[in-house]
mmCIF file of all heavy atoms in Angstrom:
data_model
loop_
_atom_site.group_PDB
_atom_site.id
_atom_site.type_symbol
_atom_site.label_atom_id
_atom_site.label_comp_id
_atom_site.label_asym_id
_atom_site.label_seq_id
_atom_site.Cartn_x
_atom_site.Cartn_y
_atom_site.Cartn_z
ATOM 1 N N ASP C 1 -3.605 -7.507 -18.623
ATOM 2 C CA ASP C 1 -2.255 -6.917 -18.762
ATOM 3 C C ASP C 1 -2.255 -5.461 -18.318
ATOM 4 O O ASP C 1 -1.363 -5.010 -17.598
ATOM 5 C CB ASP C 1 -1.791 -6.964 -20.234
ATOM 6 C CG ASP C 1 -1.268 -8.344 -20.603
ATOM 7 O OD1 ASP C 1 -1.241 -9.213 -19.708
ATOM 8 O OD2 ASP C 1 -0.899 -8.542 -21.776
ATOM 9 N N LEU C 2 -3.277 -4.745 -18.760
ATOM 10 C CA LEU C 2 -3.370 -3.321 -18.446
ATOM 11 C C LEU C 2 -3.721 -3.111 -16.969
ATOM 12 O O LEU C 2 -3.285 -2.135 -16.359
ATOM 13 C CB LEU C 2 -4.411 -2.662 -19.360
ATOM 14 C CG LEU C 2 -4.381 -1.137 -19.459
ATOM 15 C CD1 LEU C 2 -2.985 -0.624 -19.782
ATOM 16 C CD2 LEU C 2 -5.370 -0.643 -20.504
ATOM 17 N N GLN C 3 -4.481 -4.050 -16.389
ATOM 18 C CA GLN C 3 -4.832 -3.933 -14.974
ATOM 19 C C GLN C 3 -3.584 -3.999 -14.100
ATOM 20 O O GLN C 3 -3.476 -3.292 -13.093
ATOM 21 C CB GLN C 3 -5.831 -5.025 -14.560
ATOM 22 C CG GLN C 3 -6.400 -4.832 -13.156
ATOM 23 C CD GLN C 3 -7.048 -3.457 -12.963
ATOM 24 O OE1 GLN C 3 -7.908 -3.057 -13.741
ATOM 25 N NE2 GLN C 3 -6.612 -2.713 -11.947
ATOM 26 N N GLU C 4 -2.621 -4.816 -14.520
ATOM 27 C CA GLU C 4 -1.350 -4.882 -13.778
ATOM 28 C C GLU C 4 -0.651 -3.522 -13.788
ATOM 29 O O GLU C 4 -0.088 -3.084 -12.790
ATOM 30 C CB GLU C 4 -0.429 -5.944 -14.405
ATOM 31 C CG GLU C 4 -0.808 -7.363 -14.035
ATOM 32 C CD GLU C 4 0.136 -8.391 -14.645
ATOM 33 O OE1 GLU C 4 1.352 -8.108 -14.750
ATOM 34 O OE2 GLU C 4 -0.342 -9.469 -15.028
ATOM 35 N N VAL C 5 -0.716 -2.863 -14.944
ATOM 36 C CA VAL C 5 -0.117 -1.520 -15.071
ATOM 37 C C VAL C 5 -0.846 -0.533 -14.160
ATOM 38 O O VAL C 5 -0.217 0.281 -13.480
ATOM 39 C CB VAL C 5 -0.189 -1.029 -16.544
ATOM 40 C CG1 VAL C 5 0.436 0.351 -16.680
ATOM 41 C CG2 VAL C 5 0.519 -2.010 -17.463
ATOM 42 N N MET C 6 -2.189 -0.610 -14.134
ATOM 43 C CA MET C 6 -2.979 0.297 -13.290
ATOM 44 C C MET C 6 -2.686 0.048 -11.800
ATOM 45 O O MET C 6 -2.587 0.997 -11.018
ATOM 46 C CB MET C 6 -4.484 0.096 -13.559
ATOM 47 C CG MET C 6 -4.961 0.505 -14.941
ATOM 48 S SD MET C 6 -4.698 2.245 -15.293
ATOM 49 C CE MET C 6 -3.559 2.141 -16.657
ATOM 50 N N ASP C 7 -2.547 -1.225 -11.436
ATOM 51 C CA ASP C 7 -2.250 -1.561 -10.035
ATOM 52 C C ASP C 7 -0.890 -0.994 -9.616
ATOM 53 O O ASP C 7 -0.736 -0.456 -8.515
ATOM 54 C CB ASP C 7 -2.271 -3.078 -9.828
ATOM 55 C CG ASP C 7 -3.682 -3.660 -9.931
ATOM 56 O OD1 ASP C 7 -4.662 -2.875 -9.838
ATOM 57 O OD2 ASP C 7 -3.813 -4.889 -10.125
ATOM 58 N N TYR C 8 0.086 -1.123 -10.532
ATOM 59 C CA TYR C 8 1.430 -0.612 -10.239
ATOM 60 C C TYR C 8 1.410 0.923 -10.150
ATOM 61 O O TYR C 8 2.029 1.509 -9.271
ATOM 62 C CB TYR C 8 2.414 -1.077 -11.321
ATOM 63 C CG TYR C 8 3.827 -0.598 -11.097
ATOM 64 C CD1 TYR C 8 4.528 -0.915 -9.927
ATOM 65 C CD2 TYR C 8 4.472 0.203 -12.047
ATOM 66 C CE1 TYR C 8 5.825 -0.463 -9.710
ATOM 67 C CE2 TYR C 8 5.770 0.663 -11.843
ATOM 68 C CZ TYR C 8 6.438 0.320 -10.674
ATOM 69 O OH TYR C 8 7.719 0.782 -10.464
ATOM 70 N N LEU C 9 0.651 1.538 -11.056
ATOM 71 C CA LEU C 9 0.528 2.997 -11.050
ATOM 72 C C LEU C 9 -0.090 3.471 -9.726
ATOM 73 O O LEU C 9 0.392 4.425 -9.103
ATOM 74 C CB LEU C 9 -0.335 3.455 -12.240
ATOM 75 C CG LEU C 9 -0.608 4.959 -12.362
ATOM 76 C CD1 LEU C 9 0.698 5.743 -12.505
ATOM 77 C CD2 LEU C 9 -1.512 5.243 -13.566
ATOM 78 N N GLU C 10 -1.143 2.785 -9.284
ATOM 79 C CA GLU C 10 -1.787 3.149 -8.014
ATOM 80 C C GLU C 10 -0.806 3.016 -6.849
ATOM 81 O O GLU C 10 -0.706 3.901 -5.990
ATOM 82 C CB GLU C 10 -3.011 2.258 -7.760
ATOM 83 C CG GLU C 10 -3.694 2.600 -6.434
ATOM 84 C CD GLU C 10 -4.827 1.651 -6.067
ATOM 85 O OE1 GLU C 10 -4.836 0.497 -6.537
ATOM 86 O OE2 GLU C 10 -5.700 2.065 -5.290
ATOM 87 N N GLU C 11 -0.066 1.912 -6.860
ATOM 88 C CA GLU C 11 0.907 1.651 -5.786
ATOM 89 C C GLU C 11 1.956 2.777 -5.716
ATOM 90 O O GLU C 11 2.283 3.285 -4.640
ATOM 91 C CB GLU C 11 1.565 0.302 -6.097
ATOM 92 C CG GLU C 11 2.645 -0.157 -5.159
ATOM 93 C CD GLU C 11 3.398 -1.356 -5.770
ATOM 94 O OE1 GLU C 11 2.746 -2.365 -6.130
ATOM 95 O OE2 GLU C 11 4.625 -1.244 -5.914
ATOM 96 N N GLN C 12 2.455 3.191 -6.886
ATOM 97 C CA GLN C 12 3.471 4.247 -6.940
ATOM 98 C C GLN C 12 2.891 5.615 -6.553
ATOM 99 O O GLN C 12 3.528 6.405 -5.869
ATOM 100 C CB GLN C 12 4.102 4.316 -8.339
ATOM 101 C CG GLN C 12 4.893 3.078 -8.713
ATOM 102 C CD GLN C 12 6.025 2.786 -7.737
ATOM 103 O OE1 GLN C 12 6.920 3.599 -7.543
ATOM 104 N NE2 GLN C 12 5.970 1.628 -7.084
ATOM 105 N N PHE C 13 1.665 5.876 -7.011
ATOM 106 C CA PHE C 13 1.000 7.139 -6.660
ATOM 107 C C PHE C 13 0.806 7.233 -5.147
ATOM 108 O O PHE C 13 1.107 8.260 -4.529
ATOM 109 C CB PHE C 13 -0.335 7.241 -7.400
ATOM 110 C CG PHE C 13 -1.191 8.401 -6.949
ATOM 111 C CD1 PHE C 13 -0.733 9.712 -7.066
ATOM 112 C CD2 PHE C 13 -2.452 8.193 -6.405
ATOM 113 C CE1 PHE C 13 -1.522 10.790 -6.650
ATOM 114 C CE2 PHE C 13 -3.244 9.263 -5.990
ATOM 115 C CZ PHE C 13 -2.773 10.561 -6.111
ATOM 116 N N LEU C 14 0.312 6.149 -4.536
ATOM 117 C CA LEU C 14 0.096 6.140 -3.082
ATOM 118 C C LEU C 14 1.421 6.280 -2.330
ATOM 119 O O LEU C 14 1.488 6.906 -1.272
ATOM 120 C CB LEU C 14 -0.600 4.841 -2.663
ATOM 121 C CG LEU C 14 -2.068 4.703 -3.090
ATOM 122 C CD1 LEU C 14 -2.600 3.323 -2.746
ATOM 123 C CD2 LEU C 14 -2.930 5.774 -2.438
ATOM 124 N N ARG C 15 2.471 5.729 -2.936
ATOM 125 C CA ARG C 15 3.794 5.804 -2.307
ATOM 126 C C ARG C 15 4.315 7.245 -2.291
ATOM 127 O O ARG C 15 4.918 7.688 -1.314
ATOM 128 C CB ARG C 15 4.754 4.895 -3.083
ATOM 129 C CG ARG C 15 6.169 4.895 -2.563
ATOM 130 C CD ARG C 15 7.057 4.016 -3.426
ATOM 131 N NE ARG C 15 8.457 4.267 -3.182
ATOM 132 C CZ ARG C 15 9.437 3.854 -3.971
ATOM 133 N NH1 ARG C 15 9.154 3.155 -5.061
ATOM 134 N NH2 ARG C 15 10.691 4.119 -3.691
ATOM 135 N N PHE C 16 4.077 7.977 -3.375
ATOM 136 C CA PHE C 16 4.692 9.301 -3.507
ATOM 137 C C PHE C 16 3.792 10.496 -3.183
ATOM 138 O O PHE C 16 4.291 11.584 -2.942
ATOM 139 C CB PHE C 16 5.261 9.481 -4.924
ATOM 140 C CG PHE C 16 6.484 8.633 -5.180
ATOM 141 C CD1 PHE C 16 6.443 7.596 -6.091
ATOM 142 C CD2 PHE C 16 7.665 8.888 -4.484
ATOM 143 C CE1 PHE C 16 7.566 6.807 -6.320
ATOM 144 C CE2 PHE C 16 8.799 8.097 -4.708
ATOM 145 C CZ PHE C 16 8.756 7.056 -5.627
ATOM 146 N N MET C 17 2.449 10.306 -3.198
ATOM 147 C CA MET C 17 1.570 11.478 -3.093
ATOM 148 C C MET C 17 1.810 12.320 -1.840
ATOM 149 O O MET C 17 1.663 13.542 -1.869
ATOM 150 C CB MET C 17 0.088 11.073 -3.204
ATOM 151 C CG MET C 17 -0.431 10.202 -2.083
ATOM 152 S SD MET C 17 -2.148 9.696 -2.348
ATOM 153 C CE MET C 17 -3.028 11.083 -1.642
ATOM 154 N N ASP C 18 2.199 11.666 -0.733
ATOM 155 C CA ASP C 18 2.467 12.420 0.496
ATOM 156 C C ASP C 18 3.943 12.380 0.899
ATOM 157 O O ASP C 18 4.307 12.771 2.004
ATOM 158 C CB ASP C 18 1.600 11.886 1.646
ATOM 159 C CG ASP C 18 0.123 12.188 1.423
ATOM 160 O OD1 ASP C 18 -0.177 13.310 0.952
ATOM 161 O OD2 ASP C 18 -0.730 11.314 1.690
ATOM 162 N N ASP C 19 4.781 11.912 -0.014
ATOM 163 C CA ASP C 19 6.213 11.841 0.254
ATOM 164 C C ASP C 19 6.790 13.268 0.310
ATOM 165 O O ASP C 19 6.602 14.054 -0.629
ATOM 166 C CB ASP C 19 6.899 11.039 -0.869
ATOM 167 C CG ASP C 19 8.410 11.038 -0.731
ATOM 168 O OD1 ASP C 19 8.903 10.437 0.237
ATOM 169 O OD2 ASP C 19 9.093 11.643 -1.583
ATOM 170 N N PRO C 20 7.460 13.646 1.412
ATOM 171 C CA PRO C 20 7.933 15.029 1.573
ATOM 172 C C PRO C 20 8.815 15.513 0.418
ATOM 173 O O PRO C 20 8.690 16.642 -0.038
ATOM 174 C CB PRO C 20 8.715 14.996 2.892
ATOM 175 C CG PRO C 20 8.150 13.830 3.642
ATOM 176 C CD PRO C 20 7.743 12.824 2.600
ATOM 177 N N GLU C 21 9.690 14.645 -0.080
ATOM 178 C CA GLU C 21 10.598 15.024 -1.179
ATOM 179 C C GLU C 21 9.817 15.268 -2.475
ATOM 180 O O GLU C 21 10.074 16.240 -3.201
ATOM 181 C CB GLU C 21 11.628 13.909 -1.373
ATOM 182 C CG GLU C 21 12.864 14.361 -2.133
ATOM 183 C CD GLU C 21 13.861 13.214 -2.276
ATOM 184 O OE1 GLU C 21 14.393 12.741 -1.239
ATOM 185 O OE2 GLU C 21 14.091 12.790 -3.422
ATOM 186 N N PHE C 22 8.845 14.395 -2.742
ATOM 187 C CA PHE C 22 7.998 14.541 -3.943
ATOM 188 C C PHE C 22 7.213 15.848 -3.860
ATOM 189 O O PHE C 22 7.154 16.628 -4.813
ATOM 190 C CB PHE C 22 7.043 13.343 -4.064
ATOM 191 C CG PHE C 22 6.143 13.411 -5.277
ATOM 192 C CD1 PHE C 22 6.586 12.956 -6.512
ATOM 193 C CD2 PHE C 22 4.852 13.920 -5.190
ATOM 194 C CE1 PHE C 22 5.762 13.016 -7.641
ATOM 195 C CE2 PHE C 22 4.021 13.999 -6.305
ATOM 196 C CZ PHE C 22 4.491 13.537 -7.539
ATOM 197 N N LYS C 23 6.606 16.095 -2.691
ATOM 198 C CA LYS C 23 5.800 17.311 -2.508
ATOM 199 C C LYS C 23 6.654 18.571 -2.643
ATOM 200 O O LYS C 23 6.235 19.557 -3.249
ATOM 201 C CB LYS C 23 5.113 17.293 -1.129
ATOM 202 C CG LYS C 23 3.905 16.351 -1.092
ATOM 203 C CD LYS C 23 3.446 16.068 0.306
ATOM 204 C CE LYS C 23 2.594 17.185 0.874
ATOM 205 N NZ LYS C 23 1.996 16.774 2.171
ATOM 206 N N GLU C 24 7.864 18.500 -2.122
ATOM 207 C CA GLU C 24 8.763 19.659 -2.211
ATOM 208 C C GLU C 24 9.109 19.959 -3.677
ATOM 209 O O GLU C 24 9.104 21.114 -4.111
ATOM 210 C CB GLU C 24 10.042 19.385 -1.405
ATOM 211 C CG GLU C 24 10.939 20.601 -1.272
ATOM 212 C CD GLU C 24 12.244 20.293 -0.524
ATOM 213 O OE1 GLU C 24 12.332 19.245 0.145
ATOM 214 O OE2 GLU C 24 13.161 21.119 -0.633
ATOM 215 N N GLU C 25 9.401 18.897 -4.445
ATOM 216 C CA GLU C 25 9.741 19.086 -5.859
ATOM 217 C C GLU C 25 8.526 19.602 -6.643
ATOM 218 O O GLU C 25 8.636 20.515 -7.470
ATOM 219 C CB GLU C 25 10.257 17.778 -6.472
ATOM 220 C CG GLU C 25 10.853 18.005 -7.856
ATOM 221 C CD GLU C 25 11.466 16.757 -8.487
ATOM 222 O OE1 GLU C 25 11.320 15.643 -7.932
ATOM 223 O OE2 GLU C 25 12.074 16.906 -9.570
ATOM 224 N N LEU C 26 7.348 19.020 -6.370
ATOM 225 C CA LEU C 26 6.122 19.459 -7.038
ATOM 226 C C LEU C 26 5.855 20.939 -6.730
ATOM 227 O O LEU C 26 5.582 21.737 -7.645
ATOM 228 C CB LEU C 26 4.936 18.597 -6.576
ATOM 229 C CG LEU C 26 3.552 18.981 -7.109
ATOM 230 C CD1 LEU C 26 3.499 18.908 -8.638
ATOM 231 C CD2 LEU C 26 2.469 18.078 -6.508
ATOM 232 N N ASN C 27 5.953 21.309 -5.467
ATOM 233 C CA ASN C 27 5.703 22.705 -5.079
ATOM 234 C C ASN C 27 6.715 23.664 -5.710
ATOM 235 O O ASN C 27 6.362 24.779 -6.088
ATOM 236 C CB ASN C 27 5.708 22.861 -3.556
ATOM 237 C CG ASN C 27 4.476 22.207 -2.925
ATOM 238 O OD1 ASN C 27 3.447 22.077 -3.573
ATOM 239 N ND2 ASN C 27 4.592 21.782 -1.674
#
């Protein structure tokens, strides 16, 4: 059950880590 959560978390992290809008907000 928890592995599914980790897989989804990884997918979302990879989706946003280099996303220009995400990076702009983080900065």
Side-chain angles (χ1 to χ4, degrees):
D1 280 358
L2 196 51
Q3 189 55 53
E4 283 181 36
V5 180
M6 293 299 117
D7 290 343
Y8 180 59
L9 178 60
E10 179 186 24
E11 178 192 305
Q12 295 302 300
F13 171 60
L14 290 174
R15 179 182 165 194
F16 289 113
M17 65 183 274
D18 292 320
D19 174 67
E21 199 179 295
F22 180 85
K23 284 166 80 171
E24 188 183 344
E25 190 176 8
L26 176 60
N27 290 334

